[in-house]
Amino acid sequence: MTRATASDQAREYPAFPMPPVCPFAPPPGYAELRSRAPVTRVAFRDGRRAWLVTSYTHVRQVLADPRSGSNRGDVGFPTIVPLAPHRPDKGNLVSLDPPEHTVLRRLLAGGFTLRRMNALRPRIRRLVDGQVAHLMRQARPVDLVDSFARPVPLLVLCDLLGIPYADHRLILRLIGAQVRTTVTAGQREAARRALDDHLRDHVTAKEQAPADDLLSHIAEKLRQAGTYDREVLTRITAMLLVAGHGTTMNTIGLGTVGLLREPGRIASLAQYPAEIPGTVEELLRYYSVADPVSRRVALADMRLGNVTVRAGDGIIASLLAADHDRSVFPDPGTLRTGHNARHHLAFGYGVHQCLGQNLARVILQCALASLSTHVSGLRLAVPERDLPLTSDATTYGLREAWVTW
């Protein structure tokens, strides 16, 4: 990433990250930058510089351009959290570029097709209904994040992968240590290794006794391709857990609370379930919780609007800013299920578009369907102003959200 130069030091750049000031709106600076300088330099606290892209058109351009790389080991990559010295990470799609990325993604894609996820919908709905039943047995008020939003994605992921949910406390702790911005590079690396060590035992068990689960399915695909490697499968499994948990958890928490701002809105979904898919798309657009995840490094000079991004420069393609671009989404600051939000960028764009997006959609749809059907009179038990936002993670959401019914 670009360091400050003498000419840089004479100028002041907007600071990044730009934290949201409330759960229900993007950072104010996004709209201001998008209107006057949709591709602009920003400064990290340690003096590094990167380009922040805030318009829908330019974000799509960056994410689709093969000259924008995803290798976190590149010296110019705009890291938000401190990282240990980089080493090849063959099982992590997020940090691979073509052609390695293309080969691995093709092997994995069959496990996440829309048809396969829809076939799993009844199974996912049973898991979600079970967690709603657990929620309703708690003494009120109940923390919706701790009792529902946090466990649901891991319940589903563990079930589909064939990993015992009994391990959930350990897995959540190790996932959390990898996405928090307040831990050191050494602590993050230790958590990554510990999660790998734990998952490697399950991978080894699947080698000896394959089952009807996603982990066994991926292992078989790798064998058919002649590329099976225990360490690669372990890293793939870790990637699915780390990447799939936090984003879905935060969208469930923020999305449910966002709908509760309008009395009767969640209850109406039980009467009109056909509205649930569109509601989920609008929640994904509105919150875009993986906002700063789509970061790149220019592999060659790139022209974005009237700005030339030089090879080696870091680029932050803001998904949240793009999904609030009023030239694409009329009245973007209003949560409206009538929006045609399907073309949002919450799952990214281009070759790195989220592999598990179909799974995430089904989980979110089941979460809304179950809450609207089984929890009559769900409402916030605290004022909106008392809802604490997470401020120490690479995705944003609510730390807690106390509800009653």
Side-chain angles (χ1 to χ4, degrees):
M1 187 187 301
T2 306
R3 291 273 176 181
T5 64
S7 59
D8 281 338
Q9 292 169 356
R11 306 167 62 182
E12 288 191 10
Y13 292 100
F16 190 87
M18 298 180 181
V21 296
C22 84
F24 308 111
Y30 282 0
E32 193 269 332
L33 286 177
R34 189 171 52 243
S35 66
R36 68 173 178 82
V39 182
T40 191
R41 289 267 198 175
V42 291
F44 288 81
R45 294 188 184 95
D46 62 4
R48 294 172 301 150
R49 304 285 189 256
W51 294 99
L52 176 64
V53 184
T54 51
S55 76
Y56 183 91
T57 298
H58 291 128
V59 167
R60 277 177 48 123
Q61 180 184 341
V62 168
L63 299 182
D65 197 318
R67 293 171 296 179
S68 60
S70 297
N71 184 352
R72 278 146 174 74
D74 193 301
V75 67
F77 191 87
T79 55
I80 293 177
V81 297
L83 298 175
H86 187 77
R87 58 182 182 73
D89 196 356
K90 295 181 180 179
N92 190 349
L93 281 175
V94 177
S95 61
L96 287 177
D97 286 322
E100 293 84 1
H101 175 275
T102 307
V103 172
L104 183 57
R105 188 176 178 105
R106 283 175 180 165
L107 289 172
L108 299 179
F112 296 92
T113 63
L114 180 58
R115 175 178 292 184
R116 181 175 174 84
M117 293 304 105
N118 279 331
L120 293 170
R121 186 183 295 268
R123 181 169 159 184
I124 294 171
R125 178 62 187 271
R126 285 194 297 272
L127 291 168
V128 175
D129 283 350
Q131 195 61 35
V132 166
H134 172 77
L135 171 78
M136 296 182 71
R137 289 193 296 268
Q138 308 304 304
R140 288 172 275 180
V142 183
D143 181 3
L144 182 77
V145 174
D146 188 61
S147 295
F148 187 69
R150 181 174 291 112
V152 159
L154 191 60
L155 262 172
V156 174
L157 286 164
C158 285
D159 183 76
L160 297 186
L161 287 165
I163 296 173
Y165 183 69
D167 303 334
H168 68 280
R169 288 186 178 85
L170 172 64
I171 293 173
L172 285 173
R173 178 173 63 80
L174 296 176
I175 288 175
Q178 293 182 64
V179 300
R180 281 198 297 273
T181 58
T182 51
V183 302
T184 66
Q187 290 169 328
R188 182 170 292 102
E189 178 66 10
R192 186 196 66 77
R193 289 180 178 177
L195 182 59
D196 280 4
D197 290 343
H198 178 74
L199 295 175
R200 193 178 294 108
D201 293 339
H202 296 296
V203 169
T204 302
K206 297 299 178 186
E207 291 173 351
Q208 300 168 355
D212 184 20
D213 55 49
L214 187 57
L215 187 51
S216 298
H217 169 81
I218 294 171
E220 181 58 25
K221 286 289 185 181
L222 292 171
R223 287 191 189 94
Q224 291 173 0
T227 58
Y228 182 80
D229 182 302
R230 182 180 298 163
E231 294 307 309
V232 168
L233 185 54
T234 299
R235 284 276 71 220
I236 289 171
T237 308
M239 173 199 69
L240 294 174
L241 289 170
V242 174
H245 179 263
T247 50
T248 310
M249 172 188 76
N250 288 328
T251 304
I252 291 173
L254 280 167
T256 303
V257 170
L259 293 174
L260 289 177
R261 301 180 79 200
E262 186 177 323
R265 195 164 189 178
I266 287 184
S268 71
L269 296 176
Q271 293 181 283
Y272 305 101
E275 294 184 2
I276 290 177
T279 300
V280 164
E281 296 307 317
E282 175 65 351
L283 293 175
L284 287 164
R285 177 202 70 84
Y286 188 85
Y287 291 108
S288 296
V289 299
D291 176 33
V293 169
S294 288
R295 288 164 284 128
R296 300 289 187 268
V297 59
L299 303 179
D301 290 359
M302 300 168 57
R303 189 74 178 170
L304 296 175
N306 61 357
V307 172
T308 298
V309 176
R310 300 297 181 187
D313 285 355
I315 309 170
I316 306 157
S318 171
L319 305 179
L320 182 60
D323 281 340
H324 281 255
D325 188 334
R326 65 180 57 255
S327 70
V328 180
F329 304 101
D331 193 17
T334 300
L335 187 62
R336 291 191 301 132
T337 54
H339 270 140
N340 179 18
R342 183 73 187 199
H343 54 298
H344 62 73
L345 300 180
F347 291 119
Y349 188 71
V351 297
H352 282 279
Q353 191 172 38
C354 176
L355 177 71
Q357 61 180 292
N358 293 323
L359 174 59
R361 285 188 168 101
V362 172
I363 295 173
L364 293 167
Q365 291 167 12
C366 288
L368 289 186
S370 190
L371 286 173
S372 64
T373 300
H374 299 300
V375 191
S376 177
L378 184 65
R379 62 189 184 277
L380 277 176
V382 295
E384 285 182 11
R385 65 178 178 274
D386 292 338
L387 293 170
L389 274 169
T390 56
S391 58
D392 62 345
T394 52
T395 60
Y396 85 96
L398 293 172
R399 191 177 303 280
E400 58 187 45
W402 293 90
V403 297
T404 189
W405 52 89

